Amino acid sequence: MWLRQTSPDEKRTLLAAFAGYGVDAFDYMIYTFLIPTLIMIWGMSKAEAGYIATGALVTSAIGGWLAGVLADKYGRVRILQLTVLWFTFFTILSGFTTSYEQLFFTRAMQGFGFGGEWSVGSVLIAEMIQARHRGKAVGLVQSSWAVGWGVSAIAFWIVYALTPPELAWRILFWLGGLPALLIIYIRRNLKEPALYIATRKQMQAAGDAGNFLDIFSPALLRTTILASLMTSGMQGAYYAVTTWLPTYLKTERHLSVLNTSSYLLILILGSFIGYLTSAWLSDHLGRRRCFILFAACAGALIVVYTQIPITDAMMLVLGFPLGFFLSGIFSGMGAYLSELFPSRIRGSGQGFCYNAGRAVGAICPAVVGYMSTSIPLGLAIGYLAAGGYLIVIVAVLALPETGGLELSPEMEPSRDA
């Protein structure tokens, strides 16, 4: 197995990034389970619930971009610790809120750290891992999203089974404080990638302070725009589905808390397998072919899942492939974005493209909530998601294939012979 070929430093970095992204997932996804309770307790509308999700995604886009810029300047490991501390604090604070306005604020603030953690962690992994395993390594880290999502589903079921809804939702937010322990591990076990150190030395020798605006230079502008469109389509589709799926299952499919959790766990299991499979495929088929395959399959499945009358049993069966393609498409993204930009501005380029996509994609939960006031929720989800995957395919067809690039401290990445 390829993991046996990694060094102790690479393994520790993988573990830290895996754990960090997993708790990111728990802290974000737990809110999607709580929407029906908050609507009942506070009398929030679906549109307001969507605004909270969108607010967190918008600030996560800003946070991810800023974290990428700061990681280029101050180091990957230092900024990774800061992002974990930030989103942990505001997740705990969310459990003490007493109104829609307060929760909107705490979730928006939590978003800054949530977005930053992925941006820094994926660059850290890309620069630490050998080129031939980069797609698999970043994909493995990406798979921790399914783990965090699954843990949030199980925690939701357990806490709601033991406590009344009025208290349960607060407890679930407070559980978000546990990731603070990860900071201790990062401080003791992680060090900056040799590639980053070499790049900074080269820049200092040349008197180059670095400028994140270089991603908009004539040489990189086309890449930046197309990569941002690709990430916009992926994340717009993903957040349109995952933000509203628990509510869709409960309000339109009329499933209980237990059955909702069961359906989602099947979806999450598919997501985990999809992440790992896509990670392997991105190194063997190439980044572009893998993206197109997963976008086409995910779009078709979402239309069937939300817009064609099917039985609950068929919905349960389709949950696995839906999760497989819906989440698996992200596995190659971290490696691909890292390979599209030179080392001196890699954090800035990756941070901007991924989080520009997140900012655009963040509109989708609010749009779905608004559309659901005039059309069925399932139709709104399906329309937004299918459009997002079409954008992905168009953007990927216009971008270059980068699988196998050996990252170096030079101005541009060079292909490994």
Side-chain angles (χ1 to χ4, degrees):
M1 185 179 179
W2 67 271
L3 281 172
R4 295 177 181 174
Q5 302 172 26
T6 58
S7 68
D9 283 341
E10 290 174 324
K11 287 184 175 69
R12 285 192 289 267
T13 304
L14 275 168
L15 178 59
F18 186 95
Y21 198 52
V23 297
D24 247 12
F26 180 92
D27 286 352
Y28 176 79
M29 295 306 299
I30 202 65
Y31 169 70
T32 68
F33 291 98
L34 305 181
I35 290 175
T37 298
L38 295 172
I39 288 175
M40 176 187 69
I41 294 174
W42 288 347
M44 288 195 315
S45 67
K46 289 180 182 178
E48 288 175 329
Y51 295 152
I52 290 177
T54 294
L57 292 175
V58 169
T59 56
S60 73
I62 299 171
W65 185 12
L66 291 176
V69 173
L70 293 173
D72 280 342
K73 187 174 182 63
Y74 298 108
R76 316 319 194 190
V77 176
R78 183 181 301 177
I79 302 304
L80 181 62
Q81 295 175 65
L82 177 62
T83 60
V84 173
L85 177 63
W86 186 280
F87 76 68
T88 298
F89 173 76
F90 283 102
T91 298
I92 295 172
L93 200 59
S94 295
F96 293 97
T97 56
T98 58
S99 67
Y100 159 74
E101 291 78 12
Q102 290 178 6
L103 185 59
F104 183 93
F105 172 78
T106 58
R107 296 298 290 176
M109 295 302 291
Q110 182 257 10
F112 284 109
F114 163 68
E117 194 282 332
W118 186 90
S119 294
V120 181
S122 59
V123 171
L124 182 62
I125 289 295
E127 293 182 340
M128 284 289 291
I129 302 296
Q130 306 159 55
R132 66 181 184 274
H133 298 315
R134 187 179 300 123
K136 293 185 285 291
V138 178
L140 176 62
V141 170
Q142 198 86 42
S143 73
S144 67
W145 182 272
V147 175
W149 188 7
V151 172
S152 69
I154 294 170
F156 166 72
W157 177 73
I158 293 174
V159 173
Y160 268 70
L162 297 176
T163 58
E166 294 79 8
L167 177 61
W169 72 270
R170 296 185 184 276
I171 293 174
L172 288 168
F173 277 137
W174 293 334
L175 288 175
L178 295 176
L181 299 174
L182 179 61
I183 299 171
I184 300 173
Y185 179 87
I186 294 173
R187 288 183 62 86
R188 290 183 176 178
N189 294 280
L190 267 61
K191 58 184 181 181
E192 295 295 342
L195 174 61
Y196 172 77
I197 295 173
T199 300
R200 296 304 297 179
K201 287 182 179 178
Q202 186 181 82
M203 292 173 65
Q204 290 172 3
D208 181 4
N211 188 341
F212 74 91
L213 292 177
D214 286 349
I215 64 174
F216 303 111
S217 66
L220 289 172
L221 180 60
R222 182 175 183 273
T223 296
T224 301
I225 292 173
L226 288 172
S228 297
L229 283 173
M230 177 190 74
T231 61
S232 296
M234 285 187 192
Q235 295 185 86
Y238 182 84
Y239 288 122
V241 175
T242 57
T243 299
W244 286 106
L245 192 58
T247 304
Y248 169 72
L249 293 175
K250 183 175 179 61
T251 61
E252 294 198 6
R253 304 298 303 198
H254 306 294
L255 301 179
S256 66
V257 168
L258 176 59
N259 286 335
T260 296
S261 297
S262 299
Y263 275 63
L264 290 174
L265 285 173
I266 294 295
L267 183 77
I268 293 165
L269 177 60
S271 296
F272 182 71
I273 303 300
Y275 280 129
L276 297 180
T277 304
S278 178
W280 183 85
L281 287 174
S282 70
D283 277 341
H284 288 78
L285 290 181
R287 316 298 191 220
R288 297 167 74 244
R289 289 179 181 176
C290 194
F291 288 144
I292 292 171
L293 172 64
F294 274 69
C297 292
L301 281 165
I302 288 167
V303 170
V304 173
Y305 201 83
T306 60
Q307 302 194 32
I308 296 178
I310 55 177
T311 65
D312 288 350
M314 182 60 70
M315 180 171 284
L316 184 64
V317 171
L318 287 177
F320 184 89
L322 176 62
F324 183 95
F325 291 107
L326 184 69
S327 298
I329 194 172
F330 288 97
S331 284
M333 184 188 293
Y336 192 48
L337 293 178
S338 292
E339 293 158 352
L340 288 173
F341 293 94
S343 297
R344 59 187 294 275
I345 53 171
R346 178 164 295 119
S348 301
Q350 180 158 331
F352 176 81
C353 291
Y354 183 82
N355 290 289
R358 179 177 277 169
V360 174
I363 299 171
C364 290
V367 172
V368 169
Y370 176 78
M371 291 174 65
S372 69
T373 61
S374 57
I375 64 174
L377 181 58
L379 286 177
I381 293 171
Y383 290 155
L384 264 292
Y389 286 123
L390 180 60
I391 291 173
V392 171
I393 293 172
V394 171
V396 168
L397 287 172
L399 284 165
E401 177 59 54
T402 61
L405 284 179
E406 185 67 44
L407 304 184
S408 74
E410 304 300 322
M411 291 297 292
E412 297 291 341
S414 59
R415 180 170 292 278
D416 187 13

